[in-house]
Amino acid sequence: MASRESRAVIRGSAHRRRRSKERPPNLNDVTPLRIVLLGKNVSENSGVGNFILGRAAFDSEAPADVVERVGGRLKDRHVMIINSPQLLQTNISDDQITQTVRECVNLSDPGPHVIVLLLKHDQCSTEDQECVEKVLLSFSERVYQHTMVISTQEPTETNDILQKIIQKCANRHFSLHKSSSPNDLLQTFEDIVKVNDGQHLECAGSQYLTMEKHATERLSEGLKLNLAVCGSDGTLKSSTSDLILQQTDRRSDVELHGRQISLVELPALFNTHLSEEEVMCQALHCVSLCHPGVHVFLLIIPNAPLNNEVKAEMEEIQRIFSSRINKHIMILIMQNSEHQTELNEETQSVIESFGGRHHFFGPKTQVSTLMEKIEQMLEENRGEFFSTETFLKAQMNKLEKMKKKINTLETYSLSQGNEQKIILSLKLQSYKN
């Protein structure tokens, strides 16, 4: 399908719905258990995050400076993991600590229930202890009430520094080994929540985030909002675009949240007759149309069990744009009536894998309600967008991974017999192509 660009200029009131900071004392299936995962390297953090969620949710070769939020289920609990794989590195600067902590607080809004420290017995020094204390106190003075330690190796001997950190965390420690169960870890999380009467951590950075949000709101009054509509079904995408534009009467003087809106449709990426290079060009072209970048990707799915085509398209979107797109995704579930049907487990799981943001949308849905959710998204992302630079960085990361695979195969092939060398050379050629 050729790319179709639709644009509407929309101006109007600055009224916004405020999210309540109040939360009920008891967590339930509606309120996710928010866990901040702090560590030293991507591979270790990704492994623990995937262990908790029971699936490959985090990429072990993702950029270390990206703080990522992924949702899922642990037993019957809705869990949201905010993964920061570099915050406990001893060489991190104070500015990086401040910025990354704010990002963690922002993504766990209104605050985390549990903070997890990933530490190793043989890599825990006095310098590490100082770093841990500096990072944790950047969250809150009461942070230790919500903090626990996970160690990812069997100790050969007792590490006194690690024991001191564990003691400050009220002796909450989970040793992760091959026979460990996520359900056992869940019990530790629930114990922390119970001790704190179900309340999340009130973070010191929240006041700064509130100021930043107000600043973002003031700046956004006349700011153009770039939306990209994507999904496998061209008809659904077109009808969604039309619904948004029809409800604004396609007039430049219509008022809606003080926004000038640019709406662009992304062609289906999976199961097309286009080559890989052409698909990449289509994706890059879509992003480049939205200068300086896409604020929100509206991913359209039907209000029905997901078929293979829809699932494949969603996987292709994440493959091409990388996990960096997740913080900019809003899933729109198309419905034919005002009644919102209950989502099945598979659909709910897919939505959570994209960050959990979703909205029911149909012929009788008011665009203003969708805009309110988008405004909340912009506040969470502090006005950030997915730019062509972001897209190209994601592709460069893929190339680096491919180079590593090629180098590994080339090294391995040198030690193999002639038959194996032929097979490996063919594999290498396919990678290089």
Side-chain angles (χ1 to χ4, degrees), residues 147-370:
T147 305
M148 65 170 291
V149 174
I150 290 182
S151 56
T152 56
Q153 63 177 183
E154 291 294 335
T156 54
E157 59 183 28
T158 302
N159 184 302
D160 292 337
I161 300 295
L162 180 60
Q163 290 304 314
K164 288 179 181 178
I165 296 173
I166 292 172
Q167 287 172 8
K168 292 199 75 170
C169 299
N171 292 313
R172 290 185 289 259
H173 173 228
F174 187 87
S175 181
L176 194 61
H177 46 75
K178 291 182 179 179
S179 60
S180 298
S181 164
N183 292 337
D184 297 333
L185 184 53
L186 175 62
Q187 186 58 55
T188 306
F189 293 155
E190 290 184 331
D191 288 344
I192 294 174
V193 173
K194 186 176 181 181
V195 166
N196 292 294
D197 297 323
Q199 299 299 313
H200 60 266
L201 177 65
E202 293 286 350
C203 296
S206 296
Q207 56 182 322
Y208 301 109
L209 286 171
T210 301
M211 290 168 63
E212 286 180 0
K213 287 179 181 180
H214 289 324
T216 300
E217 289 172 6
R218 289 194 299 271
L219 289 171
S220 69
E221 289 303 322
L223 188 67
K224 183 176 73 169
L225 174 63
N226 294 323
L227 306 177
V229 181
C230 50
S232 61
D233 192 321
T235 303
L236 279 183
K237 286 188 293 188
S238 296
S239 62
T240 302
S241 299
D242 289 341
L243 279 172
I244 293 174
L245 297 177
Q246 284 170 6
Q247 288 196 26
T248 61
D249 296 328
R250 302 179 183 268
R251 294 200 317 265
S252 61
D253 59 345
V254 172
E255 293 191 351
L256 184 60
H257 283 253
R259 294 282 193 180
Q260 179 188 9
I261 295 181
S262 173
L263 194 65
V264 177
E265 286 184 22
L266 174 68
L269 302 175
F270 179 76
N271 200 23
T272 67
H273 298 296
L274 301 176
S275 66
E276 176 75 3
E277 291 80 5
E278 289 170 325
V279 168
M280 287 292 180
C281 285
Q282 289 273 26
L284 180 58
H285 178 63
C286 174
V287 176
S288 66
L289 286 174
C290 302
H291 181 75
V294 180
H295 294 97
V296 179
F297 289 84
L298 299 174
L299 178 52
I300 315 300
I301 65 172
N303 189 15
L306 303 179
N307 59 36
N308 291 334
E309 184 180 358
V310 172
K311 288 186 282 188
E313 178 70 14
M314 297 173 88
E315 290 174 2
E316 190 73 352
I317 287 171
Q318 278 202 320
R319 182 186 75 83
I320 290 175
F321 289 95
S322 82
S323 59
R324 293 170 185 258
I325 197 177
N326 287 1
K327 67 190 293 184
H328 302 284
I329 283 277
M330 167 82 73
I331 295 181
L332 291 191
I333 305 162
M334 297 302 293
Q335 58 181 5
N336 296 320
S337 66
E338 295 182 18
H339 178 66
Q340 295 182 6
T341 58
E342 187 174 346
L343 299 175
N344 59 44
E345 277 190 29
E346 182 183 39
T347 302
Q348 186 65 44
S349 176
V350 169
I351 290 172
E352 288 169 355
S353 71
F354 276 94
R357 302 182 188 95
H358 65 283
H359 184 69
F360 286 90
F361 195 77
K364 296 185 178 180
T365 307
Q366 293 297 315
V367 175
S368 58
T369 61
L370 172 61

Side-chain angles (χ1 to χ4, degrees), residues 1-259:
M1 186 184 89
S3 175
R4 186 176 75 90
E5 181 183 355
S6 301
R7 300 180 181 274
V9 179
I10 303 173
R11 308 178 186 279
S13 65
H15 174 71
R16 292 174 174 82
R17 182 180 63 188
R18 301 289 180 192
R19 280 174 297 170
S20 172
K21 296 293 181 182
E22 301 288 334
R23 287 292 185 273
N26 295 320
L27 287 176
N28 52 44
D29 197 48
V30 176
T31 303
L33 176 61
R34 297 182 294 277
I35 302 166
V36 173
L37 202 58
L38 306 181
K40 289 186 176 183
N41 67 74
V42 176
S43 177
E44 210 167 89
N45 270 53
S46 298
V48 174
N50 293 340
F51 169 79
I52 295 172
L53 295 177
R55 58 188 174 85
F58 295 100
D59 184 355
S60 62
E61 297 182 19
D65 61 342
V66 174
V67 179
E68 193 174 3
R69 179 177 64 186
V70 175
R73 287 189 178 274
L74 177 53
K75 205 172 179 180
D76 295 325
R77 170 78 78 227
H78 179 196
V79 175
M80 195 70 74
I81 297 180
I82 295 88
N83 183 27
S84 177
Q86 71 165 1
L87 199 46
L88 298 187
Q89 292 178 0
T90 54
N91 62 348
I92 191 170
S93 68
D94 289 349
D95 286 343
Q96 285 177 300
I97 289 175
T98 300
Q99 181 61 34
T100 308
V101 166
R102 287 187 186 182
E103 186 75 9
C104 291
V105 173
N106 184 39
L107 291 175
S108 62
D109 185 51
H113 297 100
V114 179
I115 293 181
V116 175
L117 305 174
L118 300 189
L119 299 170
K120 287 187 175 181
H121 289 267
D122 62 354
Q123 295 179 0
C124 209
S125 63
T126 302
E127 192 178 10
D128 288 306
Q129 183 182 13
E130 292 172 356
C131 177
V132 166
E133 290 178 354
K134 182 188 293 186
V135 167
L136 290 182
L137 290 175
S138 296
F139 281 91
S140 169
E141 292 182 355
R142 301 170 62 87
V143 67
Y144 287 101
Q145 297 177 12
H146 295 261
T147 305
M148 65 170 291
V149 174
I150 290 182
S151 56
T152 56
Q153 63 177 183
E154 291 294 335
T156 54
E157 59 183 28
T158 302
N159 184 302
D160 292 337
I161 300 295
L162 180 60
Q163 290 304 314
K164 288 179 181 178
I165 296 173
I166 292 172
Q167 287 172 8
K168 292 199 75 170
C169 299
N171 292 313
R172 290 185 289 259
H173 173 228
F174 187 87
S175 181
L176 194 61
H177 46 75
K178 291 182 179 179
S179 60
S180 298
S181 164
N183 292 337
D184 297 333
L185 184 53
L186 175 62
Q187 186 58 55
T188 306
F189 293 155
E190 290 184 331
D191 288 344
I192 294 174
V193 173
K194 186 176 181 181
V195 166
N196 292 294
D197 297 323
Q199 299 299 313
H200 60 266
L201 177 65
E202 293 286 350
C203 296
S206 296
Q207 56 182 322
Y208 301 109
L209 286 171
T210 301
M211 290 168 63
E212 286 180 0
K213 287 179 181 180
H214 289 324
T216 300
E217 289 172 6
R218 289 194 299 271
L219 289 171
S220 69
E221 289 303 322
L223 188 67
K224 183 176 73 169
L225 174 63
N226 294 323
L227 306 177
V229 181
C230 50
S232 61
D233 192 321
T235 303
L236 279 183
K237 286 188 293 188
S238 296
S239 62
T240 302
S241 299
D242 289 341
L243 279 172
I244 293 174
L245 297 177
Q246 284 170 6
Q247 288 196 26
T248 61
D249 296 328
R250 302 179 183 268
R251 294 200 317 265
S252 61
D253 59 345
V254 172
E255 293 191 351
L256 184 60
H257 283 253
R259 294 282 193 180

